[in-house]
Amino acid sequence: MDVSRETAAAVFGAALGRAERYADLLATEGVARGLLGPREADRLWSRHLVNSAVVAEGCPAEGLVADIGSGAGLPGIPVALVRPSLAVRLVEPLLRRATFLTEVVADLGLTNVEVVRARAEESRWTADAVTARAVAPLSRLLPWCLPLVASGGSLLAVKGDRAAAELADADALLRRSGAASWAVEEYGRGVVEPPVRVVRVRVR
């Protein structure tokens, strides 16, 4: 574990045991199946699990959260672990990734998570919040994800250091989209350093 156990426990609380099991699955099957690079195994907690879990700060207290291009389940599975009151939909078009996600959800006993093998742009449902991490530049992500955000909901795009630059590049597109507001927010302050930078786009 590349963060202190106190930090991991503070973030995951009662779900710490399942978070540790998820880390084991990522470090073994996730790497073996090419969902994570071999070098990521040494920084799973700091770079992936904790960074993903704090995205829950931007999610509603309850309702449906859809994680687009979920890949290895980040940030969707950590969000589901720390917010069991949420229903989380992991949306992933590639079969090998969707298969891995289905196995992880069963292994962890996550009754609030479903895996949907689909492309975002082909989906016809809406969610209270939509998350995306390391999927595509914001200018490409917006047309895929905004139609999936329910009225009054938000897109939460995890962007790191490029958050402000990508938001500036997408300004004209956002204005044409009819979004209510958009800004860079920081999650996990005091827990992770630097805090996780997320572009939040609110939908009318």
Side-chain angles (χ1 to χ4, degrees):
M1 186 179 293
D2 58 311
V3 300
S4 71
R5 191 168 183 83
E6 290 76 16
T7 296
V11 172
F12 284 97
L16 180 59
R18 287 196 286 182
E20 290 175 324
R21 173 59 181 162
Y22 178 43
D24 289 341
L25 291 169
L26 289 174
T28 54
E29 287 299 312
V31 171
R33 300 189 198 188
L35 276 71
L36 288 177
R39 289 179 294 183
E40 297 302 301
D42 293 332
R43 50 185 184 178
L44 276 176
W45 287 87
S46 61
R47 185 176 174 86
H48 298 295
L49 274 75
V50 172
N51 272 30
S52 291
V54 299
V55 174
E57 293 177 20
C59 294
E62 55 186 24
L64 174 63
V65 173
D67 185 27
I68 301 302
S70 193
L74 302 161
I77 289 177
V79 168
L81 285 170
V82 301
R83 285 284 189 85
S85 59
L86 289 170
V88 177
R89 180 172 295 162
L90 308 178
V91 183
E92 173 53 53
L94 295 183
L95 176 60
R96 65 184 176 87
R97 294 177 179 173
T99 299
F100 173 78
L101 292 173
T102 299
E103 292 171 2
V104 169
V105 168
D107 189 297
L108 300 181
L110 293 175
T111 57
N112 62 325
V113 180
E114 66 172 333
V115 178
V116 175
R117 188 183 169 209
R119 301 176 69 87
E121 59 269 37
E122 296 168 355
S123 301
R124 296 293 179 267
W125 38 261
T126 59
D128 301 290
V130 171
T131 61
R133 180 180 187 263
V135 174
L138 194 60
S139 57
R140 286 170 51 200
L141 199 62
L142 290 169
W144 298 342
C145 293
L146 284 185
L148 302 180
V149 182
S151 178
S154 296
L155 166 63
L156 302 172
V158 184
K159 287 297 177 184
D161 292 341
R162 285 204 42 82
E166 287 198 27
L167 190 58
D169 290 343
D171 186 75
L173 180 59
L174 282 162
R175 294 183 186 281
R176 292 196 303 271
S177 74
S181 65
W182 49 90
V184 176
E185 299 183 349
E186 293 187 338
Y187 302 147
R189 184 171 292 280
V191 178
V192 293
E193 186 57 44
V196 178
R197 294 183 180 89
V198 175
V199 173
R200 180 197 283 272
V201 181
R202 298 182 186 271
V203 172
R204 298 183 191 282

